[in-house]
Amino acid sequence: MDNRRAIGSWISGPRAAAEDMGVEFGYRGQQLGLPEEGPGAIARPGRRFAALFIDWALCLLIAYGLLSGGKAQAASNWALVVFAVLSVLTVGTVGFTPGKRLLGLRVISEDGGRLSLPRVVLRTVLLVVVIPAVVWDQDGRGLHDRVTRAVQVRL
């Protein structure tokens, strides 16, 4: 028996194994009616992580400089609060955080409009908890986006 195929499917994940067997999933965002590439397409994970890193660095800088009194340990706790406030205010009003804007991303509802304030607050709370953000669906959306019927798209 050739074990290379079995090991490859284990490393690549169940989606890759199913695709090898001929299952057609389509592209990310197809079920939502979004384009495959270009503006309005679902944002790739690398770009979303980079935007999150930029936002977190900004929040750490604000927390360290303004709220923690120069204590590095307290800065990370304050940064979480700053991150939550920043996310609610910016995503709730313009649809993106500073990091998302720099990288050309926007958060919209599944129907293409803006998210309502309660949905933005719920999305932020779930994002701060972190666990829902690392559980993804077949479109690459985190559980925090899926629950709030939101999607991160390219500008």
Side-chain angles (χ1 to χ4, degrees):
M1 178 178 160
D2 186 8
N3 289 333
R4 290 177 292 178
R5 185 169 180 88
I7 290 172
S9 67
W10 175 76
I11 292 172
S12 303
R15 181 180 174 123
E19 287 174 345
D20 287 343
M21 293 188 303
V23 176
E24 183 63 40
F25 289 104
Y27 62 87
R28 293 174 190 251
Q30 184 174 11
Q31 294 177 346
L32 300 170
L34 299 174
E36 186 173 4
E37 293 293 327
I42 289 204
R44 297 285 180 205
R47 194 178 276 198
R48 291 177 8 211
F49 283 129
L52 182 65
F53 179 78
I54 292 169
D55 291 335
W56 185 252
L58 177 66
C59 292
L60 270 174
L61 185 65
I62 292 169
Y64 184 77
L66 300 177
L67 301 171
S68 71
K71 298 177 185 170
Q73 288 181 334
S76 59
N77 292 333
W78 279 110
L80 194 60
V81 173
V82 172
F83 179 80
V85 170
L86 175 79
S87 182
V88 167
L89 291 178
T90 58
V91 172
T93 56
V94 292
F96 45 76
T97 61
K100 287 184 189 341
R101 180 65 184 121
L102 283 173
L103 296 176
L105 304 177
R106 184 180 198 121
V107 179
I108 61 171
S109 69
E110 288 177 344
D111 62 8
R114 287 191 350 187
L115 290 177
S116 64
L117 186 60
R119 286 169 58 189
V120 170
V121 170
L122 177 60
R123 181 183 183 276
T124 301
V125 167
L126 291 173
L127 186 59
V128 167
V129 172
V130 175
I131 298 298
V134 296
V135 178
W136 293 4
D137 67 2
Q138 65 188 12
D139 288 322
R141 294 187 307 159
L143 188 58
H144 64 293
D145 283 335
R146 179 108 182 177
V147 167
T148 58
R149 296 186 325 265
V151 61
Q152 293 184 54
V153 297
R154 295 171 52 188
L155 289 176

